[in-house]
Amino acid sequence: MFIGIAPYPSFHGSRLRNTQGKVAELRQELSSGGKKDKNYSAKKIALKKIVANMTMSNNDMVALFPDVIGCMNLPSLEIKKMCFLFLVNYSRMKPEVALKALPILVDDMGDDNPLVRALALRTISYVHVREFVEATFQPVKRLMQDNDPYVRKTAAFCVAKLYEHDKKMVENSDLIDRLNRMLKDENPTVVSSVLASLVDIWGRSESISLTIDYVSASKLVSILADCSEWGQTYILEALMAYVPQDSAEALLLAERVAPRLSHSNSAVVLTSCRVILYLMNYIPGEKHITSLCKKLSPPLVTLLSKPPEVQYLALRNAILILQKRPEVLRNDIRVFFCNYNDPIYVKVTKLELMFMLTTKENIPIVLAELREYATEIDVHFVRKAVRAIGKLAIKIESAAKQCIETLLELVDAKIPYIVQEATVVIRNIFRKYPNQYESIISHVIRNIDDLDEPEAKAAVIWIIGQYADRIDNSDGLLQDYLATFHDETVEVQLALLTATVKLFIQRPTKGQKLVPQVLKWCTEETDDPDLRDRGYMYWRLLSTDPATAKQVVMGQKPPITAESEKLDPRTLEELCLNVGTLATVYLKPIHQVFRAARPRRLLPSPALQRSHIDDGTGNMLEYNPPSANMAAASTSNSGLATIITTGDPVTPMYNGPPPPLPVGPGTNPATTGPSNMNEAADAADAYFSGIGSQQMASLDLDGAGGGGAPQTQYVVTQNQQQGYQPQLAGGAATGELLLL
Amino acid sequence: MLSGILIFNQKGENLIFRAFRSDCRPRLADIFRIQVISNPQVRSPILTLGSTTFSHVKHENIYLVAVTKSNANAALVFEFLYRLVMLGKSYFGKLDEEAVKNNFVLIYELLDEILDFGYPQNTDPDTLKMYITTEGVKSAITNNPTDSSRITQQATGAISWRRSDIKYRKNEAFVDVIEDVNLLMSATGTVLRADVNGQIVMRAYLSGTPECKFGLNDRLLLDTGETSSNMNNPGGGNGLNTSKTTRAAAGSVTLEDCQFHQCVKLGRFDADRIISFVPPDGEFELMRYRATENVNLPFKVHPIVREIGTTKVEYSVAIKANYSSKLFATNVVIRIPTPLNTAKTTERTSQGRAKYEPEQNNIVWKIARFSGQSEYVLNAEATLTTMTHQKAWSRPPLSLSFSLLMFTSSGLLVRYLKVFEKNNYSSVKWVRYMTRAGSYEIRYVFYLSAGVMAFVANSNRFV
């Protein structure tokens, strides 16, 4: 092959001259050859050059439109295909010229050769020009009943294309009815194409519903084996429209779909997982569920030997499926250990799964593995590993000591980002296990000079304040930080304020010099409303009744619970109905990422098993709705009470909306303070630090994102996906960016 | 489904742009170039901007990109992109920038055929090559309606992967069992992970429409006493189960999971674990499997790494072949990581050659032929330069590559391959076994003999 490639245009002026010359040249070549050229080889070569230049040199080739249409009717399929490609590419820019090709296409749809009929139909329906769309309606009805299955499957997709061009026109015609009738076709490929077309139309319509009864579903499953891998995927996707009315039917269908899990195409595997997980909602009885769950595990693990992108997808879905069906993947955590050469997105996801799968029994090998990761180069990954160790200490109480020892070993290596990350998680360990591990305070304080990130500074300041009476030079340490008070972020300033007050309460002589100064800064020299309000509150508290102040500030707080990134049941349910789709990579409510996506819900039926969804509500608090959605958040009923008990100072991953302030002891059954006063104090403290944490977190987004991928306005949980940029996900900015 | 397929070179020039829906605008090419190719921060293969998602894979020196709107089936998107790579290789031998630039028209023609409205259609290279051809092979038949019907029947039929008119004078089938053995060994010498990813590649040169039956020493098939409930639970990753161990020793293998080529009747396998299929013509991957029990590790490696002060690192690496002395491995390569500030190295080996590769930060020890049961040793020393900035060295694990014929780490054996065809011809079958290193990694303890890494506190606080 010898195709001339235009050198990539570098300057506009010369390009213009070049392309004008080239267009003229190509035009001449296209009309050359004449009668002598029996095989039109000259024309073919010219057309090939034109096609090659179509993408590479922008739209300059559009000038050749009439000449190309002139070649369209030559008796060569090769030439025809090239001309059609040109037509599809440029018809929108020059609809009036494109119209000249319409009669040729209409003619070709009646050709004797099925490949030509299908090609013409496929091409005409790509052209987004009204006349073309209108001219397709009659022929497509005929071709839907063509005696060639290849033409029929093309016609099936054509209806979905027409629907994209003009919804109304299709809805007002009988095309969708005809498409439905094609489900009876004897050719499995045609049936799968019809289903793909119907599901596509359903996805873009508010008025059309898609339902499949058991008999049809059963028939669809029986033709699965005769379809191509892609056809199988379309059928499996369509099966999601079947709502089982009877548990036995659901079970039978799930078992018949299960063999597909051994397909080599991961789309078939993951879509089968989706169908089986969906059907499980309608199947009662532990035994069946366990047996189905066991079938799901091996294929998910096998996908880890696929290319990294597919591995990533499998892992993200494993995170999802594990939340819904913890029985899945109960085998061996070691298959999720990172290979040294895994891409970073695979490693980070494996780390998340490892965290989820760690138990009392396997924690020793997990810790050894995490420790290994903490010596790698990628900072992001190392931090995640360190954080995971800290979180495991909170998740698995019996292993807390081991985790802490591992953390301290890492801290001793004195790598700054490891020290910072470790400081934050150790602070949380103190909060989880008060009065157990304070002996390591001195170890942590030793590295105080290495901390330069706000989150780590705030963490160590919290430790200093909380344990001011055990740290000999706590006042000195605080004083060091106070020297730069005005240069710190609000997150750090709030921590300093609280810590100074705590110091004063515990060691009045040492704190009495510092407190007035800090209170003065916070109330008079800051713009930040939270800092100012909290400053005034402490001031008044201390000046009114020091004894009460002590009770309020230093009172017992309930320990924090294991941080976990469980999705709320609604989102979980929705995502499980979308296993294998892009949304499972983001693990977010689908409408937040894909606003146009048609929502999917579990539809009620006599067979629907509800129990497992109720199980999830206990964990509802773990879901952190974006702050923008505060109204929605406050409706998540059972979550509120629990947030108050757990959401006290800053858990690093938590920046949900502040919990409402309980008006009296009665409203907050979960709090177990010794007295009313104490209880209210706890609640108040929780409330204020809740606000503080949110404030800091939002600031953190501005400050800590330095150099990294753009931060999101959403909660940064472990499930956060790197490349997703929600500030572009909605709103006008996107529209401008992507709409031409 | 897919809105468009784009191909870029490494510089970000858009080589192929094919839209399948009107929402795939030309400007998206610029957005991908700016947001992904020229953005070193991007680490994910999936990027969603507004309503548009770019999913990409990198192959050779090109980016293959799928544009989707809304919540598409991501598995399908990536499988398709990889299928496109495979088709490119099948058509051009190699899919890189040059191949794309030399075959614009064919690629557009293929894309038009294998995607309709963004939905993947038949992607079997055998069928496609009947009517979409490079210039070398003329496609005269496509202008004839009867021949075309044959193609369309084939493309939409139940056995879309095989033509019916195949004839060979000599009917032969070659079966290659290729195992990639993965190992992750901890610094203390315990096996953290050992498993096998196997693939069975077949080259079938068989006439007509042959029905093949394929038998392995699959424990679930051989062990007739097993109940169906056990079938649902292949293994469990528990190597301590003694009854399993003895059974495996008796010559059967537990396959954790299998995945099959399109042509295998999955229903049949699910019901009675019989692998039955009509093969495509020529080479194809019949199945993939995974085994995690009783993995035979061909090599044992014992590294000792000692840091002498801040200027020297000493290595002593012993490697022993753990297979029968009748076999030998070829192309054994051991990569021994060296610190980033290595200035020079000296190596001594009892077999093979060792060389320092500064660009990889490795000492590479190559042994062309490694007989079973033999043991070799390398002693090396790396001299380090002193650096003002101690660059972080992540101490990558030591890694191995090799290939070993007539050996399967899982113990898998092909018991039979039967071919049934209506003409009842006799056929010759060949089986070959090979084990390669997948990710064969050994971690090591880094002994500090003297001296501690200097650390400069980066405190900028004044007291």
Side-chain angles (χ1 to χ4, degrees):
Chain A
M1 289 277 282
F2 49 95
I3 291 172
I5 311 285
Y8 206 69
S10 45
F11 348 179
H12 196 71
S14 73
R15 198 193 92 198
L16 206 64
R17 238 178 302 120
N18 268 350
T19 49
Q20 274 174 352
K22 187 186 294 151
V23 165
E25 203 177 293
L26 286 170
R27 178 173 289 139
Q28 181 146 30
E29 257 187 78
L30 205 54
S31 57
S32 70
K35 291 252 161 74
K36 274 180 281 172
D37 191 6
K38 277 265 161 57
N39 288 325
Y40 312 105
S41 45
K43 284 196 182 0
K44 282 183 194 168
I45 292 166
L47 277 167
K48 279 180 181 166
K49 288 184 190 170
I50 294 170
V51 169
N53 279 304
M54 236 164 40
T55 313
M56 292 290 288
S57 34
N58 295 326
N59 288 317
D60 306 319
M61 292 297 124
V62 74
L64 291 166
F65 212 156
D67 308 76
V68 172
I69 291 180
C71 297
M72 208 172 258
N73 228 354
L74 293 174
S76 156
L77 195 56
E78 207 183 340
I79 290 183
K80 199 178 279 287
K81 280 185 177 175
M82 287 191 272
C83 295
F84 282 179
L85 180 66
F86 188 96
L87 171 72
V88 171
N89 219 21
Y90 288 122
S91 55
R92 258 176 123 169
M93 282 174 78
K94 298 259 176 186
E96 66 289 348
V97 188
L99 277 180
K100 296 211 177 69
L102 188 53
I104 301 174
L105 281 166
V106 171
D107 203 35
D108 278 347
M109 282 193 284
D111 197 278
D112 284 344
N113 186 333
L115 284 174
V116 175
R117 289 202 295 279
L119 176 65
L121 178 61
R122 200 161 65 217
T123 307
I124 195 174
S125 49
Y126 276 130
V127 179
H128 193 70
V129 172
R130 194 169 51 87
E131 287 82 355
F132 280 73
V133 176
E134 283 168 357
T136 317
F137 268 78
Q138 283 317 311
V140 78
K141 289 182 186 171
R142 189 181 73 239
L143 295 174
M144 284 164 98
Q145 293 160 353
D146 199 282
N147 52 22
D148 192 293
Y150 185 82
V151 179
R152 293 202 297 277
K153 81 147 203 204
T154 310
F157 280 112
C158 181
V159 178
K161 286 193 219 169
L162 291 175
Y163 194 80
E164 195 212 15
H165 293 311
D166 195 336
K167 267 189 192 186
K168 282 272 149 49
M169 232 160 117
V170 174
E171 279 169 10
N172 291 334
S173 74
D174 61 347
L175 276 181
I176 292 177
D177 284 340
R178 285 167 182 265
L179 193 59
N180 261 313
R181 265 176 266 150
M182 283 176 78
L183 285 171
K184 296 198 179 71
D185 201 291
E186 87 270 349
N187 185 302
T189 306
V190 175
V191 176
S192 67
S193 306
V194 171
L195 285 170
S197 185
L198 284 171
V199 172
D200 197 275
I201 292 170
W202 172 83
R204 279 179 290 121
S205 155
E206 288 79 45
S207 52
I208 295 170
S209 70
L210 185 67
T211 47
I212 294 179
D213 61 7
Y214 177 66
V215 180
S216 317
S218 177
K219 197 184 142 228
L220 289 177
V221 173
S222 69
I223 62 166
L224 268 175
D226 297 327
C227 290
S228 77
E229 49 207 314
W230 314 115
Q232 297 188 17
T233 313
Y234 307 147
I235 290 180
L236 289 165
E237 292 209 323
L239 281 178
M240 298 296 290
Y242 158 67
V243 183
Q245 301 298 311
D246 178 89
S247 297
E249 290 174 353
L251 179 63
L252 193 62
L253 220 53
E255 281 178 347
R256 285 171 65 199
V257 169
R260 297 294 123 199
L261 293 169
S262 297
H263 203 286
S264 67
N265 187 315
S266 61
V268 177
V269 175
L270 281 175
T271 316
S272 301
C273 283
R274 184 198 306 174
V275 172
I276 293 171
L277 279 168
Y278 164 67
L279 292 173
M280 275 158 74
N281 291 310
Y282 297 89
I283 299 171
E286 285 282 301
K287 208 174 113 237
H288 297 308
I289 297 292
T290 315
S291 145
L292 285 170
C293 279
K294 275 186 179 149
K295 288 188 183 187
L296 292 179
S297 304
L300 277 174
V301 176
T302 301
L303 290 179
L304 296 181
S305 62
K306 287 262 180 185
E309 294 83 2
V310 178
Q311 288 182 34
Y312 179 49
L313 200 59
L315 291 165
R316 300 298 295 180
N317 279 284
I319 291 180
L320 172 69
I321 294 170
L322 209 54
Q323 291 185 38
K324 175 85 174 179
R325 301 282 176 190
E327 309 94 297
V328 178
L329 294 172
R330 270 291 166 240
N331 41 5
D332 195 348
I333 192 170
R334 287 185 290 193
V335 296
F336 299 110
F337 283 4
C338 300
N339 292 323
Y340 188 74
N341 290 322
D342 282 340
I344 183 70
Y345 53 86
V346 169
K347 280 188 177 173
V348 170
T349 314
K350 281 185 173 173
L351 200 59
E352 283 172 41
L353 260 178
M354 282 168 64
F355 173 74
M356 291 175 77
L357 291 170
T358 305
T359 58
K360 272 209 297 286
E361 287 73 34
N362 62 19
I363 194 161
I365 58 162
V366 174
L367 272 182
E369 193 65 17
L370 290 175
R371 202 182 176 297
E372 198 70 36
Y373 300 161
T375 64
E376 290 204 16
I377 285 186
D378 191 291
V379 176
H380 177 65
F381 180 59
V382 170
R383 282 173 168 264
K384 282 250 181 190
V386 174
R387 193 157 284 218
I389 298 173
K391 288 171 67 181
L392 284 175
I394 292 166
K395 179 181 166 188
I396 300 168
E397 183 159 3
S398 60
K401 195 157 188 290
Q402 268 175 288
C403 296
I404 291 168
E405 281 163 8
T406 313
L407 281 172
L408 291 180
E409 275 174 54
L410 290 170
V411 165
D412 287 341
K414 294 204 178 260
I415 296 167
Y417 53 85
I418 293 186
V419 174
Q420 316 223 31
E421 202 67 40
T423 309
V424 174
V425 293
I426 288 173
R427 190 257 329 259
N428 289 341
I429 293 173
F430 287 155
R431 292 172 54 216
K432 164 75 180 177
Y433 306 112
N435 304 319
Q436 284 184 50
Y437 298 106
E438 279 77 2
S439 55
I440 65 167
I441 287 176
S442 57
H443 210 122
V444 179
I445 300 288
R446 207 181 298 157
N447 299 303
I448 196 161
D449 287 344
D450 301 339
L451 308 175
D452 54 8
E453 289 167 16
E455 197 185 4
K457 282 191 199 171
V460 84
I461 292 167
W462 184 88
I463 293 172
I464 297 170
Q466 187 67 22
Y467 302 106
D469 53 344
R470 302 188 202 202
I471 304 169
D472 281 344
N473 59 338
S474 48
D475 56 327
L477 294 169
L478 276 183
Q479 212 156 10
D480 289 350
Y481 276 109
L482 288 172
T484 52
F485 184 85
H486 294 285
D487 304 331
E488 305 287 358
T489 63
V490 174
E491 180 182 13
V492 179
Q493 289 177 336
L494 283 166
L496 276 171
L497 169 60
T498 305
T500 315
V501 172
K502 283 177 177 171
L503 170 76
F504 172 69
I505 287 173
Q506 293 175 82
R507 307 172 85 172
T509 41
K510 295 212 170 187
Q512 66 187 4
K513 269 215 322 274
L514 299 178
V515 167
Q517 189 187 9
V518 175
L519 287 177
K520 192 167 154 40
W521 285 337
C522 291
T523 51
E524 289 172 16
E525 293 175 27
T526 179
D527 285 339
D528 187 85
D530 292 323
L531 189 58
R532 207 158 167 266
D533 284 359
R534 206 196 290 187
Y536 271 114
M537 196 205 69
Y538 279 130
W539 195 326
R540 284 168 193 159
L541 197 58
L542 291 173
S543 55
T544 320
D545 181 356
T548 312
K550 179 165 188 174
Q551 260 187 321
V552 170
V553 177
M554 293 311 296
Q556 290 274 317
K557 292 171 202 90
I560 57 168
T561 55
E563 297 169 48
S564 126
E565 282 75 36
K566 285 220 172 94
L567 296 155
D568 74 302
R570 263 181 89 84
T571 311
L572 183 60
E573 175 192 304
E574 191 185 20
L575 284 171
C576 281
L577 298 174
N578 287 280
V579 165
T581 63
L582 290 168
T584 58
V585 169
Y586 297 112
L587 293 177
K588 299 216 164 290
I590 291 170
H591 62 90
Q592 277 183 20
V593 189
F594 303 101
R595 283 183 306 162
R598 200 164 162 177
R600 282 182 192 272
R601 295 245 71 93
L602 268 182
L603 294 178
S605 96
L608 183 63
Q609 312 290 312
R610 267 288 163 191
S611 58
H612 58 272
I613 290 178
D614 301 336
D615 291 345
T617 46
N619 294 322
M620 244 173 145
L621 70 148
E622 256 93 39
Y623 168 57
N624 306 322
S627 29
N629 272 6
M630 265 177 54
S634 56
T635 59
S636 59
N637 42 22
S638 72
L640 295 178
T642 2
I643 283 176
I644 291 169
T645 50
T646 60
D648 139 269
V650 202
T651 53
M653 295 292 179
Y654 178 83
N655 68 351
L661 182 64
V663 278
T667 56
N668 188 359
T671 311
T672 50
S675 69
N676 282 358
M677 188 58 214
N678 222 339
E679 198 171 316
D682 276 350
D685 192 297
Y687 179 61
F688 284 120
S689 46
I691 286 187
S693 73
Q694 199 196 2
Q695 188 67 27
M696 286 181 264
S698 65
L699 269 174
D700 185 22
L701 290 182
D702 301 331
Q711 292 280 347
T712 68
Q713 74 208 52
Y714 294 114
V715 177
V716 183
T717 69
Q718 277 209 332
N719 294 335
Q720 185 64 44
Q721 209 267 351
Q722 279 291 305
Y724 173 51
Q725 302 177 0
Q727 65 267 52
L728 297 173
T734 330
E736 278 172 25
L737 186 63
L738 295 179
L739 293 178
L740 198 83
Chain B
M1 217 29 85
L2 281 81
S3 286
I5 289 284
L6 283 66
I7 299 180
F8 294 84
N9 65 10
Q10 269 175 323
K11 279 184 276 177
E13 287 166 15
N14 187 200
L15 305 176
I16 294 279
F17 183 100
R18 174 68 214 252
F20 294 95
R21 294 180 180 222
S22 37
D23 54 13
C24 183
R25 300 304 178 84
R27 274 186 67 179
L28 292 178
D30 296 329
I31 293 171
F32 182 80
R33 171 170 45 244
I34 295 161
Q35 298 286 346
V36 178
I37 299 181
S38 8
N39 182 358
Q41 301 290 340
V42 167
R43 313 217 271 185
S44 162
I46 300 175
L47 177 71
T48 300
L49 296 165
S51 59
T52 306
T53 302
F54 298 96
S55 308
H56 75 273
V57 303
K58 263 175 111 169
H59 178 76
E60 304 268 358
N61 52 2
I62 52 175
Y63 290 85
L64 294 104
V65 187
V67 174
T68 50
K69 302 277 175 167
S70 194
N71 188 22
N73 187 330
L76 180 132
V77 170
F78 283 113
E79 281 287 339
F80 179 80
L81 288 176
Y82 276 102
R83 190 58 51 86
L84 195 57
V85 170
M86 194 211 79
L87 273 174
K89 284 192 200 159
S90 164
Y91 268 92
F92 321 122
K94 192 175 180 190
L95 187 66
D96 57 5
E97 183 177 354
E98 200 191 340
V100 172
K101 283 186 167 173
N102 287 336
N103 296 285
F104 278 113
V105 176
L106 190 79
I107 290 173
Y108 276 121
E109 197 182 338
L110 268 176
L111 284 175
D112 190 54
E113 183 60 40
I114 60 179
L115 283 169
D116 192 359
F117 197 41
Y119 284 93
Q121 307 292 309
N122 177 30
T123 48
D124 282 302
D126 261 27
T127 310
L128 288 169
K129 281 179 180 170
M130 286 168 73
Y131 60 111
I132 296 178
T133 53
T134 50
E135 288 207 316
V137 195
K138 274 283 160 232
S139 57
I141 51 167
T142 48
N143 286 334
N144 175 332
T146 358
D147 287 337
S148 295
S149 301
R150 213 162 47 76
I151 294 169
T152 57
Q153 300 294 341
Q154 161 93 40
T156 57
I159 310 179
S160 60
W161 55 85
R162 189 179 177 92
R163 287 179 290 133
S164 54
D165 58 348
I166 298 168
K167 278 204 181 63
Y168 287 100
R169 194 176 302 161
K170 192 176 173 192
N171 289 292
E172 285 182 300
F174 299 87
V175 176
D176 279 335
V177 177
I178 303 166
E179 295 199 336
D180 286 328
V181 54
N182 300 311
L183 168 73
L184 184 59
M185 191 174 273
S186 79
T188 52
T190 49
V191 175
L192 290 176
R193 220 189 104 188
D195 54 52
V196 170
N197 285 322
Q199 63 182 138
I200 296 183
V201 176
M202 192 166 164
R203 278 169 295 147
Y205 306 110
L206 300 167
S207 312
T209 308
E211 275 265 358
C212 297
K213 268 201 190 117
F214 188 63
L216 301 168
N217 59 340
D218 175 1
R219 183 172 60 83
L220 289 182
L221 180 65
L222 294 181
D223 202 355
T224 45
E226 294 252 331
T227 57
S228 61
S229 71
N230 274 349
M231 265 186 60
N232 297 335
N233 182 18
N238 186 352
L240 298 172
N241 191 326
T242 45
S243 70
K244 275 176 191 161
T245 325
T246 45
R247 240 179 275 139
S252 63
V253 166
T254 305
L255 299 180
E256 194 82 357
D257 189 35
C258 305
Q259 294 195 327
F260 295 100
H261 184 266
Q262 166 84 356
C263 66
V264 175
K265 291 166 187 152
L266 296 177
R268 215 51 223 277
F269 182 76
D270 194 58
D272 41 27
R273 277 186 98 84
I274 287 174
I275 304 168
S276 152
F277 57 98
V278 177
D281 190 39
E283 183 172 322
F284 68 102
E285 184 184 271
L286 177 65
M287 68 181 282
R288 273 177 177 273
Y289 58 89
R290 207 154 49 76
T292 55
E293 282 179 34
N294 302 305
V295 175
N296 297 312
L297 297 171
F299 290 102
K300 285 245 153 75
V301 183
H302 183 61
I304 299 171
V305 183
R306 190 173 278 122
E307 190 172 18
I308 316 281
T310 54
T311 56
K312 212 161 49 169
V313 179
E314 274 183 5
Y315 298 87
S316 164
V317 180
I319 173 168
K320 180 165 196 278
N322 217 9
Y323 42 85
S324 148
S325 52
K326 288 177 195 139
L327 302 177
F328 61 89
T330 52
N331 299 321
V332 180
V333 179
I334 303 122
R335 287 173 198 283
I336 304 150
T338 53
L340 305 180
N341 56 337
T342 302
K344 73 176 175 76
T345 64
T346 53
E347 303 92 4
R348 268 176 303 120
T349 60
S350 60
Q351 180 80 12
R353 278 188 183 175
K355 201 173 85 188
Y356 173 53
E357 285 185 356
E359 64 280 12
Q360 305 290 333
N361 291 306
N362 272 333
I363 294 172
V364 180
W365 179 17
K366 289 185 181 165
I367 301 166
R369 188 187 155 106
F370 204 128
S371 309
Q373 299 301 325
S374 43
E375 181 170 358
Y376 302 121
V377 185
L378 166 139
N379 287 298
E381 206 177 274
T383 316
L384 311 180
T385 53
T386 42
M387 290 166 100
T388 40
H389 277 290
Q390 190 96 27
K391 251 206 218 158
W393 182 47
S394 65
R395 288 169 210 165
L398 197 135
S399 68
L400 224 68
S401 62
F402 55 81
S403 65
L404 175 56
L405 284 175
M406 300 319 283
F407 178 90
T408 51
S409 269
S410 65
L412 186 99
L413 288 172
V414 176
R415 289 177 57 234
Y416 59 82
L417 171 64
K418 294 177 189 159
V419 179
F420 304 92
E421 216 274 337
K422 59 177 188 293
N423 291 323
N424 234 345
Y425 53 74
S426 64
S427 51
V428 188
K429 299 112 182 172
W430 306 88
V431 185
R432 199 166 53 161
Y433 299 94
M434 181 163 80
T435 293
R436 304 181 298 202
S439 148
Y440 208 90
E441 297 179 343
I442 296 113
R443 295 175 180 161
Y444 45 84
V445 186
F446 203 77
Y447 295 102
L448 293 177
S449 289
V452 184
M453 279 208 319
F455 178 75
V456 185
N458 62 345
S459 162
N460 52 2
R461 195 174 315 118
F462 48 90
V463 180

